[in-house]
Amino acid sequence: WHSYHADKVKHIESICHNIHPNSAFSEPTSAIRVAMDHNIPSILQAAFYSLAQIDATDPWPSKQSPSIAARWDMLDSADLLRFIRGKQALMFMMFMFTNIFSISGNRKCRAPRCASELDELKELYWTVHPDDLRFPDPLQRLNDYLTDLDDNGPLLCARCLGAVRSNALSQMETISRRRLPEIFRLESHMSTASPIEDSDLSKQFYTMVYHVHATRRILSRTATSDVFDMHDMQSHSETTTQELQRHSTLYILDGDIVLSAPKSALKSSTTSVALVFRVHRRILSYHSVVFSSILSIPVTPDSNETYDGVPLVRLTDDADDFESLLKMMYIPSPPDLKHRDPGFPIFAGKVLKIADKYEVDSVRHAVVKQLESDWPKDLSEWYRFKADMEKQVELNGLKIIDSFSFNEPASAIRVAMDHDIPSILPIAFYTLAQVDMNPERPPQMGPAPRWDLLNANDFVRLMGGKQFMAVGMNELLEVFIIEQCSAQRCGNELTKLKATKFSMRELCIPDPLGWLYGVLKDLDRKDLCSACQGAVRKGILKTMEICWRHLPRVFEL
C-alpha cells in the first residue's frame, strides 16, 4: 500500500503540473466487476477501498481531475451495498485513531512534556475535516500521523515516539489484513475456492454441450426464423393444458365478459392454472381506453372462445396483479390499503405496471394519491410525520416490529422512479439516508430497506446525498449566530451552543432536519432570554425550510 500510495501521489502531482494531463490511474469499479465475475478475490479489498475515495457527489469528474471517473453502471446491487456500507464504516473509523496516542503499561513514560504533547495530539487529530467524510481514508490518515511524528518527534522521548509509531503501524496492519474484508463484507470471497467435484464437472460439461446445441439451433434460423417462432408457439400451446379456476369474489354471475389470467407460480408447468374473472364490459370500458377499444371490435360467435356461455378473453398478465387491478376498478379505495403500510409500494408497483399497460387512469390516480399521502409533501407535514415516528418508538420501544405502520423508503424510491411519481422521491431518499447500514450495530425500528430494488443511479444519489449532508452539518451551527442581547448569560449560552461538536453518528448518518428539530424542542431549556430564544427559533425554522427546499438538489433529483 505504501508503494501504491507513493505512485498515486506522484501521479496526482504530475496532473496538477500538467505533465501528463490525460494519464489515468486504476479504475476500481471495472476491477470489482471482473474480480467478482471471474473469482479473483485478491484485488477486491483494495478496489473497494479505492472506490470509497471517489467523491460520490461528483461521480463523473473531468479529465484534469485527480479523481477517477467511476463506472457505477458495472456494479450490481450487492456490490453497491458493500460499497455504501463500507464507506460509512470508513467514515466512522476516521474518528477512532486518537487511541494511537494512548500509551499504557511499560511503554508509558512519566515525563510531563510527553503527556502534554500526547494530549495535544489527541485533541488535534480528533477534529475531522469535511474532506475526511467525502474521502474517508484511514490508511492515509495513519500515514500522515507517521509523517507528523518526524515534526513532533523532538517533543517526545524516544520511548513514546516508538510506542506511537508502533501503534500506528499496528493499526494499518489491522485495517489492511482484517478490517477491510469485514467492512466490505468480503470474507466469503477472500476464502479459497473449493476444488470442483466430479459431479460438478459433469454438470458443467453437460450444460456446456446443451448451450452449444441450443446456439446452433438458434443460428440455423435465418430466412425461416418467423416460421420456427410460429411453430414453437403452436407446439407450446398444444403441449400445455390450462386449468381454469373461478375467482372466489370476482366471478360475478351477471357479468358479460370472462377474462383469464395465469397464476405466476405455475406458468412454466405443463398443466398451468388460470384464474377466471367474470366482469362487466361497461366497467372495463369506463375505466380503460384499451379495453374500450378491444371490446368494441365486433366478433362472430364461431370465432370467439366462450366460457359458461359468455365470451372468454385469455390474458398473459399475472393473475394476482390483474386481480388487484379489477378490485380497484370496482372498489376505488379498498379497505386493505393501510396508511404507511411498508408493503404498499411493492403492491403499488405491480398495480401501476398493469394500470399503465391498459391505461386505467382512475386506478393510477388512486394508487399515486395513496403513495403521496404516505410521505410528507412539505415541512408542516414532515413535523407530523416526525411526531408519528417518535410516538411509535415510544409505544413500541427499541424493538423490530414489522406489523406496525412505518414507511419503507427503498421500495417507494423504486416505484416512484419506474412510474414517474417525483413528489415522494426527496423525502424517501432522505429517510433512506438515515438508515444505519452497519448490521453489527443494534437494528432500528421498522422494516429493513429493500436494497435489492435499487439500481446504480439510486445508490450514487443516496451516497452523494449522505456525503453532501455530512459535509454541511457544521453549517447548521450558524443558527446560533444572532444579534444577542447584552445579558451575559445569553452570551455564555450562545458561545457554548456555537461550540457544539457533532458525534460520529451525527456526521456519518447525517440528519440535519432531525438535528434542528431536536434543538427546536429543547430550546426552552436553554439559558436564554425570550428575545434571544425567538431569534434562534426564527433562524432554525428558516434553516429547516432551506434544507427541505434543497433536498431535490442534494440527491440530484
Side-chain angles (χ1 to χ4, degrees):
W1 179 86
H2 283 291
S3 174
Y4 180 87
H5 174 69
D7 289 344
K8 190 173 182 180
V9 170
K10 185 177 179 182
H11 168 70
I12 292 174
E13 288 175 350
S14 68
I15 289 179
C16 294
H17 291 89
N18 293 319
I19 298 172
H20 302 292
N22 295 320
S23 60
F25 213 70
S26 305
E27 196 287 295
T29 52
S30 53
I32 291 170
R33 181 75 280 123
V34 72
M36 287 289 190
D37 291 347
H38 300 285
N39 193 25
I40 313 173
S42 56
I43 67 172
L44 279 173
Q45 66 181 46
F48 271 106
Y49 187 82
S50 297
L51 185 61
Q53 314 314 319
I54 293 178
D55 187 354
T57 59
D58 183 21
W60 306 109
S62 64
K63 289 184 178 179
Q64 300 295 331
S65 172
S67 300
I68 312 298
R71 292 285 306 277
W72 300 104
D73 57 305
M74 300 193 74
L75 302 182
D76 59 23
S77 294
D79 301 329
L80 289 161
L81 189 55
R82 284 189 181 93
F83 158 68
I84 199 170
R85 279 178 172 167
K87 185 152 187 172
Q88 178 184 297
L90 291 175
M91 290 164 72
F92 271 95
M93 203 180 288
M94 296 301 291
F95 293 85
M96 303 294 188
F97 295 133
T98 55
N99 60 358
I100 70 168
F101 302 111
S102 298
I103 304 173
S104 59
N106 296 330
R107 298 187 301 170
K108 185 175 182 179
C109 77
R110 301 183 183 276
R113 65 167 188 172
C114 288
S116 175
E117 181 64 21
L118 289 171
D119 289 338
E120 287 183 15
L121 288 171
K122 284 181 189 177
E123 183 66 26
L124 174 66
Y125 287 113
W126 170 253
T127 304
V128 176
H129 191 270
D131 278 350
D132 293 331
L133 300 175
R134 293 172 62 203
F135 315 107
D137 191 348
L139 289 175
Q140 172 63 51
R141 167 159 278 215
L142 288 167
N143 193 60
D144 290 343
Y145 290 166
L146 290 172
T147 304
D148 291 346
L149 283 177
D150 296 333
D151 300 329
N152 295 292
L155 300 177
L156 295 172
C157 69
R159 177 188 293 181
C160 290
L161 190 63
V164 172
R165 188 180 296 278
S166 175
N167 288 344
L169 291 171
S170 176
Q171 287 271 20
M172 295 181 80
E173 281 290 324
T174 301
I175 292 171
S176 61
R177 291 183 181 276
R178 183 172 62 84
R179 291 293 293 144
L180 287 186
E182 288 177 0
I183 66 174
F184 290 111
R185 301 294 181 270
L186 297 170
E187 296 95 331
S188 60
H189 294 278
M190 302 302 291
S191 59
T192 306
S194 58
I196 299 175
E197 300 290 341
D198 291 341
S199 58
D200 295 332
L201 192 60
S202 300
K203 290 178 184 176
Q204 291 183 17
F205 173 77
Y206 286 116
T207 302
M208 180 185 70
V209 171
Y210 169 79
H211 284 299
V212 168
H213 285 291
T215 305
R216 285 177 178 172
R217 287 199 303 271
I218 292 170
L219 293 176
S220 66
R221 299 181 180 185
T222 53
T224 59
S225 59
D226 293 336
V227 177
F228 273 95
D229 292 341
M230 291 299 293
H231 173 74
D232 288 346
M233 291 172 63
Q234 184 179 1
S235 62
H236 178 73
S237 62
E238 289 173 355
T239 57
T240 303
T241 59
Q242 194 171 61
E243 178 188 344
L244 300 180
Q245 292 181 355
R246 296 184 181 185
H247 191 275
S248 57
T249 58
L250 287 171
Y251 192 86
I252 306 170
L253 295 179
D254 65 344
D256 54 3
I257 186 76
V258 172
L259 307 172
S260 73
K263 289 183 124 179
S264 58
L266 298 170
K267 275 183 180 179
S268 60
S269 174
T270 55
T271 303
S272 64
V273 175
L275 279 183
V276 175
F277 307 91
R278 186 167 179 172
V279 290
H280 304 90
R281 289 172 180 260
R282 63 181 182 276
I283 296 291
L284 297 177
S285 299
Y286 175 77
H287 286 283
S288 168
V289 176
V290 174
F291 274 122
S292 178
S293 300
I294 293 173
L295 297 177
S296 64
I297 300 173
V299 292
T300 61
D302 296 336
S303 63
N304 199 34
E305 187 179 2
T306 61
Y307 179 87
D308 203 10
V310 294
L312 169 65
V313 178
R314 295 183 183 270
L315 305 174
T316 58
D317 306 291
D318 182 75
D320 293 336
D321 297 347
F322 197 73
E323 174 191 356
S324 302
L325 179 70
L326 289 176
K327 279 184 177 179
M328 295 197 70
M329 283 185 183
Y330 278 88
I331 310 173
S333 298
D336 54 344
L337 293 185
K338 299 178 182 178
H339 185 49
R340 293 181 187 160
D341 183 352
F344 179 70
I346 301 293
F347 166 82
K350 295 177 179 179
V351 173
L352 287 173
K353 181 179 179 181
I354 195 167
D356 289 342
K357 175 181 177 180
Y358 292 109
E359 299 183 28
V360 188
D361 294 337
S362 58
V363 171
R364 175 182 170 82
H365 175 74
V367 172
V368 171
K369 185 178 178 181
Q370 175 73 23
L371 272 172
E372 290 180 333
S373 70
D374 286 347
W375 296 92
K377 295 185 287 294
D378 53 41
L379 203 53
S380 61
E381 289 189 10
W382 183 84
Y383 288 131
R384 293 193 290 273
F385 179 78
K386 187 75 173 176
D388 289 346
M389 290 172 64
E390 290 180 348
K391 185 177 180 180
Q392 292 198 49
V393 171
E394 184 179 347
L395 291 174
N396 296 298
L398 297 176
K399 296 181 292 184
I400 302 176
I401 302 177
D402 293 330
S403 58
F404 71 96
S405 298
F406 210 87
N407 302 60
E408 196 288 289
S411 55
I413 289 170
R414 182 75 282 121
V415 70
M417 286 289 192
D418 291 346
H419 299 283
D420 192 25
I421 313 172
S423 57
I424 69 173
L425 281 172
I427 187 59
F429 269 104
Y430 184 84
T431 304
L432 189 59
Q434 311 314 316
V435 175
D436 186 352
M437 303 186 69
N438 188 347
E440 294 177 359
R441 281 187 280 275
Q444 59 237 341
M445 291 189 66
R450 291 288 306 274
W451 299 110
D452 57 305
L453 298 176
L454 302 182
N455 61 27
N457 290 331
D458 302 329
F459 274 103
V460 172
R461 284 188 176 95
L462 175 64
M463 192 67 238
K466 289 187 74 166
Q467 184 177 296
F468 189 94
M469 292 188 295
V471 171
M473 283 295 286
N474 284 319
E475 297 178 14
L476 301 180
L477 299 178
E478 293 178 5
V479 299
F480 303 120
I481 301 176
I482 60 171
E483 292 184 9
Q484 66 190 59
C485 66
S486 57
Q488 184 177 357
R489 67 185 179 99
C490 291
N492 293 339
E493 185 69 20
L494 289 170
T495 301
K496 186 168 68 173
L497 290 171
K498 281 182 249 181
T500 301
K501 284 189 176 181
F502 293 101
S503 66
M504 289 185 293
R505 184 179 180 86
E506 288 171 330
L507 289 174
C508 298
I509 310 174
D511 182 7
L513 287 173
W515 185 84
L516 290 167
Y517 177 77
V519 173
L520 194 63
K521 286 177 61 179
D522 294 341
L523 197 57
D524 293 335
R525 303 176 186 175
K526 305 300 179 185
D527 191 15
L528 296 171
C529 68
S530 57
C532 289
Q533 271 194 19
V536 173
R537 181 176 284 106
K538 183 179 178 181
I540 290 174
L541 293 173
K542 182 179 178 181
T543 304
M544 291 182 77
E545 285 286 350
I546 293 172
C547 289
W548 181 270
R549 196 167 62 247
H550 282 76
L551 283 182
R553 197 177 78 179
V554 168
F555 292 103
E556 297 292 336
L557 298 168

